[in-house]
Amino acid sequence: MPSKRLREQNGNSCAAHCTTVAINEIKQTALTETFAEDDLWPSIQFSDTCAITKPLAADKNSDPRLIVGQIKQRWPGVSVKLLCDEGQKSKAISMVNSVMRSGMNDIFNLLVQEAVKGTITLDEAVFYNCSYTMHSGSKPSDENFSGMHNILVAHEAGKNFYYNSNEANPQWQTTANWKQLEAQNGGNNSYVFSGVAVAIF
């Protein structure tokens, strides 16, 4: 079972926390939340280069393409690839309010250009930095969509594990359905996998 963890994230640094925990697991290092937030996070944020990425850049959200690039640059012995699952994207989009659906679809289409496309299944010894839709309710719906969030997922000894960095005391937990996490954060939030993941191994 994975065991590395950090303190609760600050701001929208969830993808940086997930990446840092994955590297700590793979390389058995002890990188801290300070590294995740002050060093790694600024280097993986979306750039304000087009209308699609402008709101993501304003919120300091992380670009999975830059996560791939930073891992290749910082940790040459670690393998990484961007994955996109079109079928799962459709499920997640149905859980987004109608105002946001077009933008979500545009983001996915931008990312998929550089990704390995296909159904995502979990492999042993791989950590998946997954993008999820976030919902302000114990069960997700298009009416309670509240943004995006990254959660780290792994598969080991026949069990699926996930690590949610915005919990008050983040811990690795098991789940029967890693693509839809309900009653999180004390029962207040839920998450649906968007179909976009960075596989780190």
Side-chain angles (χ1 to χ4, degrees):
M1 176 178 174
S3 60
K4 301 287 187 179
R5 58 193 186 92
L6 304 175
R7 289 196 291 268
E8 183 182 9
Q9 72 182 66
N10 287 309
N12 288 334
S13 62
C14 48
H17 274 244
C18 290
T19 302
T20 300
V21 170
I23 294 298
N24 282 343
E25 288 283 352
I26 292 166
K27 296 187 69 66
Q28 289 300 298
T29 47
L31 299 169
T32 66
E33 54 277 346
T34 300
F35 168 82
E37 294 176 4
D38 296 347
D39 188 330
L40 183 59
W41 184 28
S43 71
I44 61 174
Q45 291 173 21
F46 275 98
S47 298
D48 182 4
T49 53
C50 65
I52 296 172
T53 61
K54 187 172 183 177
L56 298 166
D59 288 340
K60 297 184 177 181
N61 284 324
S62 297
D63 184 337
R65 300 167 299 177
L66 294 179
I67 296 172
V68 170
Q70 286 296 312
I71 289 173
K72 288 180 176 178
Q73 178 183 321
R74 293 170 184 255
W75 300 285
V78 176
S79 297
V80 60
K81 58 185 175 182
L82 177 60
L83 308 176
C84 286
D85 184 328
E86 182 77 34
Q88 184 60 33
K89 184 256 317 196
S90 297
K91 293 178 183 178
I93 292 257
S94 72
M95 295 289 187
V96 175
N97 62 60
S98 57
V99 176
M100 298 292 293
R101 280 180 192 166
S102 177
M104 273 276 289
N105 203 53
D106 289 343
I107 293 164
F108 189 90
N109 290 338
L110 180 68
L111 297 175
V112 80
Q113 296 173 26
E114 300 181 23
V116 177
K117 306 170 190 69
T119 302
I120 297 174
T121 55
L122 303 181
D123 291 328
E124 292 263 359
V126 180
F127 292 87
Y128 298 83
N129 190 343
C130 298
S131 175
Y132 284 75
T133 59
M134 181 166 61
H135 302 264
S136 56
S138 61
K139 290 184 178 295
S141 74
D142 60 340
E143 295 180 352
N144 61 19
F145 170 73
S146 60
M148 301 299 295
H149 181 57
N150 279 58
I151 293 173
L152 190 61
V153 177
H155 180 77
E156 185 178 305
K159 294 181 179 180
N160 297 330
F161 298 90
Y162 70 97
Y163 176 89
N164 185 358
S165 61
N166 74 359
E167 294 281 4
N169 182 26
Q171 305 279 345
W172 283 96
Q173 300 182 67
T174 57
T175 177
N177 183 10
W178 66 274
K179 294 181 179 180
Q180 184 162 314
L181 301 168
E182 299 181 350
Q184 303 296 300
N185 308 102
N188 296 314
N189 294 316
S190 51
Y191 304 90
V192 178
F193 177 47
S194 72
V196 176
V198 175
I200 310 167
F201 53 101

